[in-house]
Amino acid sequence: MSVSMLSTFIKPMHREGRKFVAIAAAITVLLFLIWEPLGWVGTGLTIWVYYFFRDPVRVTPTRPGLIISPADGVISLLEPAVPPAELNIGTRPMTRISVFMNVFNCHVNRVPVGGKITAVAYRPGKFLNASLDKASVDNERNGLAIEMADGRMLGVVQIAGLVARRILCEVQPGQVLQTGDRFGLIRFGSRLDVYLPDGVQPLVVIGQTMIAGETVLADLAATEPARAGGIR
């Protein structure tokens, strides 16, 4: 029981966070030397930095055809949109599912579906609020094009937000990844867009909470219509 309780509060940390935790800890020591109450503020900040870069173990559904959320957060947009041209996955509108991450969400990103990475494309841009529709076009972004086993293409795009200042992508074109594999993170608040293949209906609704690597966004084999939802 004690091990289980410990794992509830202490999570693995992404290596990108180590230097930030070290910096925060060093500042905390200095603050304690200046004035103890300031040191406790620094302690809280250090804990938050660790918490931001947490990288918990996730249990990914493995049935063929499932498309899984690439990020923790909330569905903020659900609409037809033309995917970024640099991904080279077509010029027709595709169903875009946007997952908005606030500064308290886990920011490690995971591949929504298994397949071959055919493109990794970075584009510099602005740092508008990531919940805005125009952030998909105007903000700094990094996109992956994924070719699935049946030849269909899916796009997933990391979008910087109002306070995000670095997108980290850890995969390269030509790699073959499995659903739920980690592929990067975005520092300090941001959004991920998923572009579904033609004819695939989303199984989520605006306002629904997502868990990266676990929540099902869509099912390639499903024939049911898109879902509707309401606040309870």
Side-chain angles (χ1 to χ4, degrees):
M1 177 63 72
S2 59
V3 174
S4 178
M5 288 296 294
L6 188 63
S7 64
T8 299
F9 297 101
I10 299 180
K11 303 294 184 183
M13 183 175 64
H14 191 280
R15 61 181 178 275
E16 180 75 3
R18 295 172 186 167
K19 57 186 175 183
F20 292 97
V21 171
I23 292 171
I27 293 173
T28 297
V29 172
L30 291 176
L31 291 176
F32 268 116
L33 294 175
I34 296 170
W35 188 38
E36 184 175 338
L38 286 179
W40 287 113
V41 172
T43 299
L45 176 62
T46 302
I47 293 172
W48 176 79
V49 172
Y50 153 74
Y51 184 73
F52 178 87
F53 286 102
R54 67 195 184 279
D55 185 12
V57 174
R58 296 287 165 82
V59 179
T60 301
T62 57
R63 180 166 61 77
L66 295 181
I67 297 173
I68 308 300
S69 178
D72 285 14
V74 174
I75 301 294
S76 60
L77 295 169
L78 189 56
E79 60 190 1
V82 176
E86 62 267 22
L87 294 184
N88 196 31
I89 59 175
T91 58
R92 296 173 52 191
M94 303 170 71
T95 298
R96 181 178 68 196
I97 303 175
S98 298
V99 182
F100 176 73
M101 298 179 286
N102 64 38
V103 295
F104 298 105
N105 290 129
C106 174
H107 275 58
V108 175
N109 305 144
R110 295 172 179 262
V111 177
V113 71
K116 181 180 179 180
I117 307 299
T118 62
V120 177
Y122 170 79
R123 179 185 180 280
K126 300 178 182 179
F127 298 95
L128 304 174
N129 189 325
S131 64
L132 299 176
D133 184 25
K134 61 182 179 179
S136 293
V137 177
D138 295 337
N139 280 23
E140 179 184 39
R141 65 178 184 252
N142 184 79
L144 306 182
I146 304 174
E147 182 179 3
M148 295 177 285
D150 62 4
R152 285 188 283 182
M153 302 297 298
L154 178 142
V156 57
V157 183
Q158 299 168 293
I159 301 173
L162 189 64
V163 293
R165 286 298 182 270
R166 186 185 179 194
I167 296 174
L168 176 66
C169 182
E170 301 175 312
V171 299
Q172 300 294 329
Q175 282 187 250
V176 177
L177 302 176
Q178 302 299 315
T179 305
D181 283 352
R182 299 166 178 82
F183 76 90
L185 64 85
I186 316 176
R187 289 210 299 252
F188 308 123
S190 45
R191 172 176 138 196
L192 263 79
D193 287 349
V194 176
Y195 292 85
L196 300 179
D198 287 343
V200 178
Q201 298 292 341
L203 300 179
V204 293
V205 298
I206 291 177
Q208 186 174 343
T209 299
M210 299 291 101
I211 299 176
E214 294 190 356
T215 307
V216 175
L217 294 181
D219 185 348
L220 298 175
T223 57
E224 64 180 282
R227 296 179 179 179
I231 298 176
R232 293 288 186 267

